């Protein structure tokens, strides 16, 4: 079992293909073999006993190493879901009496965990909308600042550098959920964020057939999170690790295409008379465009949202679509569309939803890697009155 020398690799596509690959020394195959064992003979050649719940099997290590390289981090942990990554990280770094500051717009599952569970463990929380507000809410017992950018569903952009600077000044650990951006478009560790989290279920897996999560950080923070991870046990099995490793080989290529398609579609929708509003950080009219240009050097991503002009027209529009599929997840090769008012934000009272800008006519589109011409004609025909 030998890993490739990762130092010589720089470019993203090369890192995607090669980093972390564990050579098959017995049969000379070019891919990482799938090690399904849950028991390893001792004494073995490795320094430590490996066991799936210890997050240290060859397949877990191979994919973790690839992700660490992609995010320019020292180490990574691979989880059985994005929520396992989020909850284990938060519980691993906080104790009763601690305080966490969360960005106000975060993934629904994370928000539910914070409101219904973290609080009951005696961990206090507060919410902030931007870097100006976060400063006013820091307390002596504040241990973490948590952001998510671009955010769901309106593609809000948080200034990563401003947040990490405040966190560093106050000796607070900063965490980002960077799922929408992927390591191809945005590398928050380079902007002094301490911990990057991904729901691997989305772009990293990329084919809507895998549930996983990843945390990337320094050796010391990963060691602290691993301590809790071994107790909660949200590790990923060898076969899924291999699927994730395989998916990551095409990540840079896929994301480039997602970016290009989303930009073209956002511009098309932006000039379409039936569309009231388009939310995409790649449009110059987007309030976060200038910051996004700086902190997302790889591209603006494959997610966008738009509002239909005519009230009550969503159902018919969705029914008319032939290629774009109504479904709630995102980040796969196929284009998926959903109506947040009926899905992710259905439990919010209408007044609250409207305050956030989530109207009944709002649609969130996860742009796939199909030919952009077919996506444009599909949207065009469905928009015909
Ligand atoms: C989906 C998602 C999660 C949760 O990931 P799971 O893999 O579903 O557990 C967390 N954050 C964001 C931004 C997501 O889109």
């Amino acid at each position: 079992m030998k890993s490739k020398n990762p130092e010589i690799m720089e470019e993203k596509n090369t890192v995607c293909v090669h980093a972390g690959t564990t050579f098959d020394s017995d049969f000379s195959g070019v891919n990482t073999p799938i090690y399904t064992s849950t028991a390893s003979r001792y004494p073995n050649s490795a320094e430590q006993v490996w066991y799936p719940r210890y997050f240290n099997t060859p397949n877990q290590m191979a994919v973790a190493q690839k992700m660490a390289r992609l995010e320019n981090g020292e180490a990574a942990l691979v989880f059985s879901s994005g929520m396992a990554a989020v909850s284990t990280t938060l519980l691993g770094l906080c104790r009763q009496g601690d305080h966490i500051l969360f960005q106000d717009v975060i993934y629904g599952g994370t928000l539910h965990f914070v409101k219904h569970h973290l609080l009951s463990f005696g961990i206090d929380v507060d919410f902030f909308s931007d870097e100006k507000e976060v400063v006013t809410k820091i307390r002596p017992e504040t241990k973490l600042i948590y952001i998510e950018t671009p955010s769901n569903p309106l593609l809000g952009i948080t200034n990563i550098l401003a947040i990490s600077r405040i966190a560093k000044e106050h000796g607070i650990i900063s965490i980002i959920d960077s799922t929408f951006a992927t390591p191809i478009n945005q590398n928050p560790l380079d902007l002094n964020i301490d911990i990057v989290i991904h729901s691997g279920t989305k772009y990293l897996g990329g084919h809507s057939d895998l549930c996983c999560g990843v945390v990337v950080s320094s050796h010391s923070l990963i060691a602290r999170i691993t301590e809790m991870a071994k107790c909660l046990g949200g590790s990923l099995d060898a076969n899924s690790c291999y699927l994730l490793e395989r998916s990551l080989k095409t990540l840079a290529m896929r994301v480039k295409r997602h970016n290009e398609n989303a930009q073209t579609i956002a511009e098309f929708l932006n000039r379409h008379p039936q569309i009231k509003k388009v939310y995409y950080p790649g449009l110059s009219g987007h309030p976060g465009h200038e910051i996004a240009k700086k902190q997302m050097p790889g591209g603006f991503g494959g997610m966008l949202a738009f509002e239909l002009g005519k009230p009550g027209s969503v159902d018919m529009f969705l029914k008319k679509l032939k290629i774009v599929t109504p479904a709630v997840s995102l980040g796969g090769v196929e284009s998926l569309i959903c109506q947040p008012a009926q899905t992710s934000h259905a439990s919010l009272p209408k007044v609250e939803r409207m305050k956030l800008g989530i109207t009944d006519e709002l649609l969130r589109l996860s742009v796939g890697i199909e030919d952009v011409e077919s996506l444009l004609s599909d949207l065009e025909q469905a928009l015909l009155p």
Side-chain angles (χ1 to χ4, degrees), residues 81-83 107 148 177 179-180 199 201-202 211-212 330:
S81 70
M83 278 313 298
Y107 176 71
E148 185 175 316
D177 181 333
T179 300
F180 274 33
S199 165
T201 313
K202 315 299 164 54
C211 185
C212 55
L330 63 105

Side-chain angles (χ1 to χ4, degrees), residues 227-275:
E227 169 60 27
M228 180 58 74
K230 286 178 175 175
C231 299
L232 298 182
S235 56
L236 194 65
D237 73 280
N239 288 290
S240 299
C241 282
Y242 182 73
L243 274 180
L244 178 58
E245 185 182 339
R246 181 179 154 143
S247 290
L248 287 173
K249 293 185 187 191
T250 57
L251 180 70
M253 212 170 68
R254 281 187 282 114
V255 169
K256 181 169 183 278
R257 176 63 164 246
H258 284 293
N259 291 341
E260 290 164 2
N261 281 1
Q263 183 74 37
T264 306
I265 290 171
E267 287 169 10
F268 160 79
L269 292 170
N270 206 29
R271 44 172 201 268
H272 198 286
Q274 307 274 9
I275 303 295

Side-chain angles (χ1 to χ4, degrees), residues 35 42 53 85 102 110 112 138-139 144 163 241 246 257 269 284 300 334 358 373:
Y35 295 89
Y42 66 89
R53 188 171 41 76
F102 286 92
T110 307
H112 182 91
I138 292 173
R139 301 186 202 158
L144 308 173
I163 295 292
C241 282
R246 181 179 154 143
R257 176 63 164 246
L269 292 170
S284 57
F300 300 105
E334 65 286 291
I358 301 167
E373 294 77 13

Side-chain angles (χ1 to χ4, degrees), residues 29-267:
V30 296
N31 295 318
T32 305
I34 302 174
Y35 295 89
T36 54
S37 294
T38 55
S40 57
R41 275 193 291 196
Y42 66 89
N44 63 16
S45 54
E47 306 88 58
Q48 52 182 354
V49 170
W50 40 276
Y51 186 62
R53 188 171 41 76
Y54 293 170
F55 291 70
N56 65 354
T57 67
N59 291 102
Q60 290 167 339
M61 301 298 278
V63 74
Q65 209 180 96
K66 199 190 283 291
M67 276 304 297
R69 283 295 319 260
L70 280 170
E71 281 292 15
N72 302 326
E74 289 175 359
L77 277 179
V78 181
F79 288 88
S80 54
S81 70
M83 278 313 298
V86 168
S87 55
T88 306
T89 300
L90 294 175
L91 291 174
L93 299 176
C94 282
R95 298 285 172 271
Q96 187 175 12
D98 287 345
H99 175 247
I100 311 179
L101 281 165
F102 286 92
Q103 177 179 315
D104 52 5
V105 182
I106 48 174
Y107 176 71
T110 307
L111 188 63
H112 182 91
F113 175 68
V114 171
K115 286 192 166 167
H116 292 85
H117 301 285
L118 268 191
L119 284 171
S120 71
F121 295 148
I123 297 166
D124 206 2
V125 303
D126 249 319
F127 296 91
F128 62 91
S129 57
D130 57 21
E131 64 268 22
K132 287 179 202 81
E133 198 181 1
V134 76
V135 190
T136 67
K137 297 201 165 174
I138 292 173
R139 301 186 202 158
E141 61 273 23
T142 306
K143 289 287 173 359
L144 308 173
I145 298 178
Y146 185 107
I147 60 172
E148 185 175 316
T149 182
S151 68
N152 184 30
L154 295 178
L155 288 307
I157 300 294
T158 306
N159 188 334
I160 298 175
L161 210 48
I163 295 292
S164 69
R165 193 175 296 140
I166 292 163
K168 287 271 179 282
E169 273 167 21
H170 291 81
I172 298 168
I173 295 170
S174 55
I175 306 179
I176 185 171
D177 181 333
S178 198
T179 300
F180 274 33
T182 81
I184 306 307
N185 289 335
Q186 168 173 291
N187 293 120
L189 299 180
D190 294 349
L191 304 173
N192 289 326
I193 289 287
D194 295 306
I195 299 171
V196 179
I197 299 181
H198 288 280
S199 165
T201 313
K202 315 299 164 54
Y203 290 99
L204 307 185
H207 297 71
S208 305
D209 59 1
L210 195 53
C211 185
C212 55
V214 181
V215 177
V216 189
S217 185
S218 62
H219 286 302
S220 63
L221 284 170
I222 288 294
R224 284 176 65 187
I225 298 165
T226 305
E227 169 60 27
M228 180 58 74
K230 286 178 175 175
C231 299
L232 298 182
S235 56
L236 194 65
D237 73 280
N239 288 290
S240 299
C241 282
Y242 182 73
L243 274 180
L244 178 58
E245 185 182 339
R246 181 179 154 143
S247 290
L248 287 173
K249 293 185 187 191
T250 57
L251 180 70
M253 212 170 68
R254 281 187 282 114
V255 169
K256 181 169 183 278
R257 176 63 164 246
H258 284 293
N259 291 341
E260 290 164 2
N261 281 1
Q263 183 74 37
T264 306
I265 290 171
E267 287 169 10

